[in-house]
Amino acid sequence: MLALAPAGPASAETTGELIDPETITAIRDQMTSGGIAPEAQDALIAKLQAGEPLDSMIGAEPVDTFTVDLPNATRTVSEFADGSRRWIDIEKPTTLSAGTVSPMSSLKGCTLSGLWRINCKLGVSDAITTASFQFDYRIAQTKHDASIRDYRAQTCGNVFGPCSVKGGIKRATQNSAGPAWAAMTYTAKINKTGTTVQSEIGIRVQDTTVSTY
């Protein structure tokens, strides 16, 4: 879910190239981490230089979606017609060793504790922005009672400067209205004229099925 807010009139300070060389380097690094080929990066940077948002930023339908198995996370990649990508990572839970006793606050990373997955992080990235939040979730066993708790540690980073975030738990426990659900909305600039995009990431847990968007 994305929305675009137009910038106001350009001032003398914001005319000319919209992206400086240092920012272009940061954007290329971000694109490379998402698997975007160098030749596609050139076209996408030219689009941003012209003041246009990428398809991945404005809610366009992806032309392809696929999953990548990373060492510590499962990544879902959406690829768009202009060559841009948006990728969502959800941490894989690891299991505590038998007999381990540790306060939950001291655990690092997504940890499996019974039916609960503790300290898990959901993150999203595109060419210019990264955003994430942490939470705990529990899959259902015999009842339809999958749950999400303790939404926390929301973050957002943007190559053009600050971005704002807002989120929380929308449905703590699965019920007849739908799955357990947590989500975060973030707003970020896409060029130095002040044009912004807004997007949402979320996790839903229905019985034993976990889905992200």
Side-chain angles (χ1 to χ4, degrees):
M1 183 184 300
L2 300 97
L4 177 67
S11 66
E13 184 181 347
T14 60
T15 56
E17 289 195 344
L18 297 182
I19 312 176
D20 58 56
E22 184 178 345
T23 302
I24 288 176
T25 298
I27 292 173
R28 285 194 183 277
D29 289 345
Q30 184 90 338
M31 289 182 178
T32 298
S33 72
I36 299 176
E39 56 271 22
Q41 293 180 18
D42 293 340
L44 294 172
I45 288 171
K47 191 173 182 179
L48 289 170
Q49 283 280 31
E52 301 176 35
L54 307 183
D55 289 355
S56 60
M57 302 172 180
I58 58 172
E61 285 295 319
V63 296
D64 190 23
T65 301
F66 57 93
T67 300
V68 179
D69 189 34
L70 303 176
N72 299 315
T74 299
R75 172 171 292 179
T76 302
V77 181
S78 297
E79 189 164 20
F80 299 85
D82 65 355
S84 61
R85 289 183 173 187
R86 182 175 187 259
W87 54 100
I88 294 176
D89 294 346
I90 182 168
E91 282 187 308
K92 297 175 182 176
T94 58
T95 305
L96 285 175
S97 301
T100 297
V101 177
S102 178
M104 289 305 179
S105 61
S106 72
L107 300 179
K108 302 298 182 183
C110 188
T111 304
L112 183 63
S113 178
L115 294 178
W116 282 96
R117 280 79 169 146
I118 308 296
N119 284 347
C120 300
K121 182 165 74 173
L122 180 68
V124 63
S125 301
D126 59 25
I128 64 168
T129 306
T130 60
S132 67
F133 64 89
Q134 287 183 304
F135 58 97
D136 306 337
Y137 72 97
R138 183 190 67 189
I139 60 173
Q141 189 173 28
T142 57
K143 299 178 181 179
H144 302 295
D145 61 351
S147 300
I148 297 175
R149 70 183 184 193
D150 199 11
Y151 173 100
R152 61 195 182 276
Q154 58 185 18
T155 64
C156 185
N158 175 31
V159 298
F160 288 106
C163 54
S164 60
V165 294
K166 182 180 180 180
I169 295 175
K170 293 180 175 288
R171 187 178 299 112
T173 303
Q174 171 187 349
N175 58 35
S176 59
W181 178 19
M184 182 184 76
T185 300
Y186 61 96
T187 304
K189 294 198 321 182
I190 65 166
N191 57 45
K192 64 184 181 182
T193 67
T195 304
T196 61
V197 291
Q198 185 178 85
S199 184
E200 181 177 291
I201 59 169
I203 177 169
R204 296 184 175 104
V205 187
Q206 178 93 22
D207 293 332
T208 59
T209 300
V210 179
S211 61
T212 61
Y213 66 91

